[in-house]
Amino acid sequence: MKKLPLSLLLVAGLAYGQDKVFTKQDTLKGSDTKFRNFWDVKKYDLSVEPDFKEKSIKGSNVISFTITRDITAPTFQIDLQQPMKADQVEASFPVSDSRQDGDFIWIKAGKNFRKGEKYTITVTYSGNPVIARNAPWDGGWVFAEDEKGRPWMSVADEGIGASVWLPVKDLWSDEPDNGIRMKIITPKGLTGVGNGRLILFETKDDKNVFTWEVTNPINAYSIIPNIGKYVNFKDTYEGEKGKLDLDYWVLDYNLEKAKKQFQQVKPMLSAFEYWFGPYPFYEDSYKLVDSPYLGMEHQSSVAYGNGYQNGYLGRDLSGTGVGLNWDFIIIHESGHEWFANNITAKDQADMWIHESFTNYSEVLFTERFMDKKSADLYAVGIRNGIQNDIPIIGKYGVRNEGSGDMYPKGASMLHTIRRIINDDEKFRQILRGLNKDFYHQTVTTRQVEDYLSAKSGIDLSSIFTQYLRTVKVPVLEYEQNGDTLKFRYTNSVKNLKLPVRVNGSQTISPSDQWQRVQLKKNTPVEFDDSYYIRYKKVQ
């Protein structure tokens, strides 16, 4: 089987949910239940100290939040997955009972709350967390060794959730509005790298303490400590919002390779700011960090493990050769800063919002970095990875992701929509508008669908239904007799509205009924492979 992008393999390993029987625990993890829907997280102030030898971690998290409605003596749900333990739970309000039951901490308040009141819950935690067997495609901590046999530690938890190690409100729709502060405690000789900016370095009791701060909202699965024998180098980028600090943390023996390979960052930022608007986190800087696994889109701290080579571990996922002109991890994972980190799906079932747009960002980068012909070639080439196994949208409210097709098929859907709009500047402004109008927000599929339809002036609803909610690929059947073309759609949803250009400029609007048009020339009809449809000559 062709090697797929890192996140696609992660999804492929998890997206069995269409046949899974979901439990109450799944609902508690994936829904905005009565234990979650009355309080809004404002900030996490956390610490983490890993023990490489014992494969354990310990720390604390101060969860600051605001009450969103009047409520009588509620119960709070904090998520912390087994075998991690809550050693102590404290609150800035009276507590009548608190206990850990399975993957949840339950805190029964001993008072009523009024809308707008502000409180904190502090959880001190410890234990031996789930160990990732094959990060990032499964979730958990990574206790690895670098090439010199020194400790190298991190965690990957997009699918399984940040609560695999950290006590949090593990719900995509509730990001800490005021960001986080994270203390990473390491042995002397090692460095802890976190999200955002390093605001303080201390030594205490023969240990190093690195304090990092994020000032913007951040999704919980992006909160990642990295510990290793890191060295740092810096640069700046003059972007749409002024000077953006570029911060690179790599293992000491990778320094020279990184200085060369990371030169791709500025062209990437230039391309993505052109297509999507300003980098969304100027206040927190842009960062690449050497990772003990292939990579992940951790906000303002992108994990990098692609071996300092172009392509995906030296290969081109499109099979065209185009993808060997740039580093897949730098481009793809950085594209997530706009789609996943700036615009975040409220529910994991809508993860296509992250992955379809980001997969398509590879095409858009190629167009800006190389040329449109190469970009179109790449866009068609990545379709080889489409399985059409289950729908792209998963089951709501149970932390379930849909098909891994959210990557290449989702990108192909967007390429099709772009062709329908047939105005690249208008398409670009729609993408920029998405990132402006939903800046630092969590969204639903419906919001994104409605936005693209409204801004394009085209009803795209049937196209989203076709590609996101079914596994059917439209088939355009046709017959040609001289300059007369007869055509219809099969394998399509009801009332699919997907016009197609033929012979370069003539537009036809197929339905599930046979139609005829006169072509402008009496030659074999030429179809545009930009559309993700199949063509079938029936005569």
Side-chain angles (χ1 to χ4, degrees), residues 418-428 501:
R418 178 183 179 184
R419 193 71 179 105
I420 293 168
I421 294 172
N422 199 31
D423 183 334
D424 283 350
E425 179 58 23
K426 187 174 187 177
F427 182 72
R428 182 172 81 97
R501 260 172 296 284

Side-chain angles (χ1 to χ4, degrees), residues 30-162:
S31 297
D32 194 15
T33 65
K34 64 180 181 179
F35 310 111
R36 289 168 153 177
N37 64 10
F38 61 92
W39 55 291
D40 177 35
V41 176
K42 293 301 179 183
K43 189 172 185 177
Y44 293 130
D45 192 338
L46 65 109
S47 69
V48 58
E49 180 178 1
D51 186 314
F52 182 80
K53 183 178 180 181
E54 299 297 327
K55 304 293 187 291
S56 67
I57 59 173
K58 63 181 179 180
S60 63
N61 191 14
V62 181
I63 304 169
S64 301
F65 59 91
T66 299
I67 300 297
T68 59
R69 60 183 172 87
D70 295 353
I71 190 167
T72 302
T75 297
F76 292 79
Q77 173 189 328
I78 306 295
D79 305 290
L80 182 63
Q81 297 180 40
Q82 301 178 80
M84 295 301 296
K85 299 296 183 184
D87 299 317
Q88 186 174 8
V89 178
E90 300 174 294
S92 63
F93 54 85
V95 173
S96 63
D97 182 49
S98 69
R99 59 188 173 86
Q100 183 172 3
D101 183 10
D103 292 341
F104 311 104
I105 303 165
W106 302 104
I107 304 166
K108 174 66 174 175
K111 70 180 293 292
N112 302 334
F113 295 111
R114 299 297 298 272
K115 180 179 179 180
E117 293 177 342
K118 302 178 187 301
Y119 298 97
T120 62
I121 294 173
T122 302
V123 181
T124 303
Y125 66 93
S126 64
N128 297 92
V130 170
I131 303 295
R133 298 182 303 276
N134 188 28
W137 299 289
D138 64 340
W141 265 77
V142 179
F143 293 92
E145 293 183 350
D146 67 17
E147 291 180 5
K148 295 186 177 181
R150 301 168 301 192
W152 192 14
M153 296 168 278
S154 188
V155 59
D157 55 32
E158 180 182 24
I160 197 172

Side-chain angles (χ1 to χ4, degrees), residues 242-457:
K243 185 176 76 172
L244 173 63
D245 293 325
L246 310 180
D247 202 17
Y248 304 123
W249 294 82
V250 300
L251 297 179
D252 49 8
Y253 52 78
N254 285 332
L255 180 59
E256 294 307 316
K257 290 184 290 186
K259 287 181 176 179
K260 179 179 179 181
Q261 192 72 1
F262 291 178
Q263 290 177 18
Q264 295 187 34
V265 167
K266 289 184 180 181
M268 173 275 296
L269 289 168
S270 176
F272 288 164
E273 287 207 329
Y274 172 82
W275 286 108
F276 303 146
Y279 173 75
F281 309 106
Y282 270 72
E283 301 83 359
D284 297 324
S285 80
Y286 171 88
K287 190 185 301 93
L288 282 177
V289 184
D290 255 345
S291 168
Y293 49 82
L294 184 58
M296 192 58 74
E297 69 261 22
H298 306 136
Q299 184 173 312
S300 69
S301 187
V302 173
Y304 179 85
N306 200 37
Y308 297 95
Q309 58 191 320
N310 283 353
Y312 173 94
L313 293 174
R315 302 190 299 279
D316 174 23
L317 294 174
S318 77
T320 65
V322 173
L324 295 177
N325 290 281
W326 38 267
D327 189 311
F328 177 90
I329 294 300
I330 293 176
I331 304 309
H332 179 91
E333 302 305 341
S334 298
H336 275 304
E337 293 283 43
W338 285 264
F339 293 97
N341 298 341
N342 184 37
I343 303 173
T344 307
K346 286 183 180 294
D347 192 293
Q348 213 155 325
D350 285 338
M351 192 171 160
W352 77 272
I353 296 169
H354 302 185
E355 301 300 350
S356 298
F357 282 98
T358 301
N359 197 258
Y360 196 58
S361 78
E362 301 163 27
V363 177
L364 297 174
F365 170 79
T366 299
E367 183 172 331
R368 194 76 175 156
F369 183 64
M370 297 175 67
D371 52 70
K372 197 171 191 305
K373 181 179 179 181
S374 298
D376 288 341
L377 187 65
Y378 185 85
V380 174
I382 59 177
R383 294 175 187 171
N384 292 326
I386 298 174
Q387 302 296 312
N388 285 312
D389 48 359
I390 58 175
I392 286 175
I393 294 178
K395 301 294 186 182
Y396 288 102
V398 288
R399 288 190 67 92
N400 173 244
E401 299 159 8
S403 171
D405 282 350
M406 69 178 77
Y407 296 78
K409 185 178 178 181
S412 297
M413 175 188 72
L414 293 173
H415 201 52
T416 298
I417 289 172
R418 178 183 179 184
R419 193 71 179 105
I420 293 168
I421 294 172
N422 199 31
D423 183 334
D424 283 350
E425 179 58 23
K426 187 174 187 177
F427 182 72
R428 182 172 81 97
Q429 293 304 326
I430 290 172
L431 296 177
R432 290 176 65 92
L434 273 169
N435 280 279
K436 179 181 178 181
D437 294 343
F438 295 118
Y439 184 71
H440 292 176
Q441 294 181 37
T442 59
V443 300
T444 66
T445 284
R446 185 62 63 192
Q447 285 177 285
V448 175
E449 290 183 8
D450 290 348
Y451 189 92
L452 266 68
S453 289
K455 296 301 181 180
S456 67

Side-chain angles (χ1 to χ4, degrees), residues 36 39-41 44 169 171-177 218 442:
R36 289 168 153 177
W39 55 291
D40 177 35
V41 176
Y44 293 130
K169 185 179 182 180
L171 189 68
W172 282 18
S173 61
D174 192 1
E175 300 179 344
D177 302 295
I218 182 170
T442 59

